[in-house]
Amino acid sequence: MRQAGRSLPEYRALRKEGSILDAIKDPALSAEITLQPVRRYGVDAAILYSDIIVPVHAVGFGIDIKPGVGPVTENPFRSTDDLKRLNDLNPSKDTPYVIETVKLCVEQLDIPLIGFAGGPFTIASYLIEGGPSRTYQETKRLMFENPELWSQLMNRLTRICTNSLLSQIEAGVSAVQLFDSWVGALSPGQYVRFVFPWVQQMFEKVSKTGVPIIHFGVATGELLNLMSDVGADVIGVDWRVPLDVARTRVGEGKALQGNLDPAILASPWSAVEEEVLTILRLNDGHPGHIFNLGHGVTPNVNPEVLERVVQLVHQYRVGQ
Ligand code: CP3
């Protein structure tokens, strides 16, 4: 959930100006950035410092990350011709720096490292919209206007993301997270038709490694049952759904991750404390819970508040 984020002064000091993609291509720097939130917060797992668009950038689609905006592309995906810019990912050739960063982190960490990829819908939305979107109008237009091209695009992205995840697993990550962050823009019917089959294919291949899969999206309250069926071991929940309700939607045999509202981290500590305790109480001692934020840390959050959140969670005892 972007713990490294822009909220850590030590992150900003190391990162300086320049493209985040250049920082990601420097394994020593990326490994150090991965370790910063672990040292600062004492969390129980680390998340690799990279970005969801790294694999599509690496195969030469022509996409960058603009500070304060997010992924942007000058030539959005429009036609069959654009598939040529989405060749298969050969991780040892295209993203050797990611593999190297994973290895450097694993050497230095005594807690698990989580690798990740972007979900095919979320990546497709950046390629098609050309940047962040509120409506996903162009993405939906492509789905309905040219379902055949949508399938081909999803096939390519699924292969790219699967290869990326498998390479991170081979390099030593202990779990992987698929961030299909913006998939909550779809109705359940749209999700079943335009996303489910591809994520299922990806999870079938990745789960053969035995490494646990976490699956997360924002505003996915109405999709939680489908995201559970698609094959992940852990379902990430944003703050909009109470954790006990999420558990009934996700069903037995799965763990949950979440779901503190990141926007309350700037509120008085008493409010933050109450929200944290509410989540832990709603979890009701269930062993399958990874306490986390419901989405990423925003840049203006005081890191001391997050330190207190981690302490509070670690000290909590069931029934409190
Ligand atoms: O804790 C970490 O920093 C882990 C590494 C990580 C980053 N991005 C680094 C990053 C992870 C796990 C991501 C995932 C990611 N990237 C997602 C999925 C998670 C989510 O938030 O929903 C998405 C949608 C992206 C795409 C993306 N990259 C966005 C929307 C932005 C923010 C743009 C901005 O500046 O406001 C980025 C840039 C980015 N990726 C930053 C970081 C630390 C911040 C900018 C920077 O440091 O240059």
Side-chain angles (χ1 to χ4, degrees), residues 76-98:
F77 185 96
R78 286 285 172 270
S79 68
T80 311
D81 241 22
D82 296 317
L83 290 169
K84 291 188 194 129
R85 292 188 280 152
L86 287 172
N87 290 323
D88 244 1
L89 179 82
N90 177 346
S92 55
K93 186 176 123 295
D94 299 320
T95 47
Y97 43 87
V98 173

Side-chain angles (χ1 to χ4, degrees), residues 307-320:
E307 280 171 41
R308 289 182 80 176
V309 167
V310 173
Q311 270 176 20
L312 182 61
V313 174
H314 278 157
Q315 284 161 8
Y316 178 81
R317 293 291 167 263
V318 177
Q320 191 177 320

